[in-house]
Amino acid sequence: MKLGLLGLSLLGASQAHLFESCLPSDEDSSPMAVSKLFVVRDDLSAHLDAEQKLAITTLSGFLARTAAGSHLGLVSKSEDLVWLSEVADEVVDLYSLDEVLAEDDIPSGDCRYVLCKVGDNSTNAALSFSAASDECTIVATEGTAPLLESFGIKMAMNLTSITDPFWALDNLSGFNQHVSVLQNAGNPVPLSDFAVKCRALHWWGWGECGKKLDDPEGLTERALGLLTPGDAVVVGWGGGEDPEWNCVHASTSYGSFGMIAADQALNLAVLNASPETVKHRPAVVRSQGDTRQDAKPKHTVCFVMSDGDNVQWILNDWSAEKGANGWWASAERGNVKMGWTLSPSLAALAPAALQWIMAGATENDQLIAGPSSATYAFVNDFPDTHTFKAFAEESSYLMGKAGMRIVNVLNDEGFAETVDVMLAEEDIDAVFLYEYNGYSELGGAISFVGGKPVIGGRFNLWSPDFYDVDDLVDALKGLPNMDDVTSSDGYTLIPVHAWSHSVEDIVSAVKQLEADGRFDVVLPDELVARVAKNVAAV
């Protein structure tokens, strides 16, 4: 018999958009900025252990279930404040769990706690117990329980002996049918606040999404089976030898929208405010695709940075000070034209971060969706057209909020016809199609689906597996028929591997191409406009 933790029915009603099931449902509340945000400054004190952080983040998740009142965040590095300061009208620093529990404006006295260990299946059980509870339930360990008890917070259940990864599925009910959290119990602090806020199942088990995939009683099947097909997402990341392929394949083939890589993301409970709560900044206004070319045709080249679907990377590294890294914070960014893949899910998941990024884009930066738009999904793995259409509609909606009209789709099979449903959306102009094994398996092929271009990568700027800067430039210079603007020969889309190459490398390549004189480096929408004008008519 399952524990009757919830006095509410399953959250199974149809949801209009991604993560709306996580938003506060106070009847007397209206969209508003967080009036007061308490942040625990571990970046300054650096003395909090994982057990203390887990107590803080699970309390944060409960506070975020209500729009009104104070909210709570955890600052592990100063860059975290970039996003948090965009959400709140007032930010107040705290430095310990003791201070959090003692703060009058944080109603922790109404809470209870569930006891677990950190790093095993009892952690997942406790986080799922907390998420499934109406009553504020802090996740505690033997290290933090005495402090909680000293503030009058009593234990609800002791789960330290739990070893079964199925415990939550067998004993709890009432989980959100639109969001699931896949997170390693050995790293429970990220996403714990979000799981609690969203009432999401928190699971891991073996961490291998492909293990027992054909077993209807397997952990992956049962966890994904809680989700509403065509209206759900898995947040986090898996483990094992190939977590990327296994987890993306499993989540899409079982009918969810796919994965959002957020396994190192903090404070999503706070950042997941309604977009109407964010202090909007104007984005760079740039004319749509430029189809102009010199009298003598040149070979059109477009560089696009990979891995923008990786939300935990965006939230941890893109807010760094200028010059701190070779990505969005690069001192060279803006010097040459390039595209950036970015998950449009940020419009719902962390709208403050999206607005900050859009505001910081230069005229030489263009954000495109992906991969593969709303989430990281292998769209050719969706079980039916209904699910794919729902995904495409949600992608188009989120892309509109992020000012995007081009989507980078990463499939485990790179056939142009597999993206037809995506291109049926009126507000999606083109697909940059990569194949999972190699990105540029299509060799620069260009197809048209529904009258819209599907452009494959030609060469990867990706070391050591493919090309480094000099080898890439040499390959481009050696292309045959490179100035034929009426065929795919005249255009090159270059996926840039984020983990082996930087903006500085792109700048170096562009300078060499400019010195050659036969190349024109453009933004993604310029590439699409030229292809649509010159190739489609042939």
Side-chain angles (χ1 to χ4, degrees), residues 87 103 108 115 119 131 266 286 309 372 410 419 468 498 507 535 538:
V87 175
E103 175 55 54
S108 59
L115 194 66
L266 295 174
R286 209 174 21 77
D309 63 296
S372 295
L410 182 57
V419 298
D468 62 19
V507 171
V535 180
V538 177

XYZ file of all heavy atoms in Angstrom, residues 87 103 108 115 119 131 266 286 309 372 410 419 468 498 507 535 538:
121
model
N 16.223 38.090 -10.610
C 14.899 37.626 -10.212
C 14.322 38.438 -9.058
O 13.124 38.709 -9.015
C 14.967 36.133 -9.809
C 13.630 35.650 -9.278
C 15.397 35.303 -11.005
N 16.186 32.573 10.770
C 15.621 33.739 10.099
C 14.094 33.751 10.205
O 13.421 32.810 9.766
C 16.053 33.752 8.631
C 15.445 34.843 7.795
C 15.678 36.238 8.365
O 16.844 36.599 8.622
O 14.669 36.957 8.550
N 10.710 28.040 8.421
C 11.165 26.653 8.560
C 10.555 25.966 9.769
O 10.550 24.724 9.850
C 12.692 26.615 8.667
O 13.140 27.379 9.781
N 14.883 11.505 7.138
C 16.291 11.173 7.370
C 16.800 10.193 6.308
O 16.127 9.230 5.950
C 16.448 10.554 8.757
C 17.871 10.453 9.317
C 18.443 11.844 9.577
C 17.867 9.626 10.605
N 24.351 9.724 -0.894
C 25.136 8.957 -1.844
C 24.619 7.578 -2.150
O 25.253 6.841 -2.912
N 9.474 15.500 -2.156
C 8.779 16.039 -3.319
C 7.299 15.678 -3.318
O 6.455 16.471 -3.740
C 9.439 15.517 -4.595
N 22.141 24.748 -10.025
C 21.616 25.166 -8.726
C 20.503 26.193 -8.902
O 20.431 26.885 -9.916
C 22.726 25.778 -7.871
C 23.877 24.865 -7.440
C 24.957 25.682 -6.737
C 23.379 23.751 -6.528
N 18.550 42.988 -34.770
C 19.365 42.807 -35.952
C 18.453 42.465 -37.117
O 17.445 41.800 -36.952
C 20.348 41.652 -35.706
C 21.611 41.747 -36.451
C 22.589 40.652 -36.041
N 22.026 39.490 -35.415
C 21.405 38.530 -36.083
N 21.259 38.608 -37.377
N 20.924 37.481 -35.442
N 22.354 22.931 -25.473
C 21.297 22.243 -24.737
C 21.689 22.005 -23.296
O 20.843 21.684 -22.454
C 21.009 20.893 -25.391
C 22.231 19.969 -25.325
O 23.255 20.311 -25.935
O 22.168 18.924 -24.642
N 17.677 19.561 -29.249
C 17.033 19.639 -30.552
C 15.822 20.566 -30.469
O 14.786 20.307 -31.040
C 16.584 18.246 -30.982
O 17.690 17.382 -31.196
N 19.763 17.232 -33.388
C 20.770 16.178 -33.294
C 20.046 14.845 -33.205
O 19.389 14.554 -32.209
C 21.654 16.406 -32.069
C 22.802 15.434 -31.817
C 23.733 15.384 -33.012
C 23.583 15.844 -30.576
N 12.720 15.405 -39.915
C 12.423 16.678 -39.244
C 11.219 17.368 -39.884
O 11.004 18.561 -39.673
C 13.642 17.614 -39.242
C 14.794 16.977 -38.482
C 14.082 17.981 -40.656
N 41.386 20.402 -36.358
C 41.782 21.554 -35.566
C 41.701 22.766 -36.483
O 41.251 22.671 -37.638
C 43.179 21.371 -34.967
C 44.271 21.216 -36.005
O 44.072 21.596 -37.186
O 45.354 20.702 -35.652
N 32.287 22.412 -28.306
C 32.518 23.354 -27.205
C 33.609 22.900 -26.247
O 34.244 23.735 -25.598
C 31.217 23.571 -26.428
N 37.840 32.731 -34.152
C 38.416 33.990 -34.633
C 39.668 33.711 -35.463
O 39.875 34.305 -36.536
C 38.739 34.932 -33.454
C 39.542 36.145 -33.927
C 37.449 35.379 -32.766
N 19.675 28.248 -53.691
C 19.653 26.815 -53.930
C 18.233 26.315 -54.174
O 18.013 25.473 -55.035
C 20.290 26.045 -52.753
C 20.280 24.544 -53.003
C 21.720 26.527 -52.524
N 16.779 26.153 -57.747
C 17.384 25.297 -58.771
C 16.591 23.994 -58.923
O 16.172 23.404 -57.936
C 18.847 24.993 -58.396
C 19.458 24.038 -59.418
C 19.637 26.279 -58.342
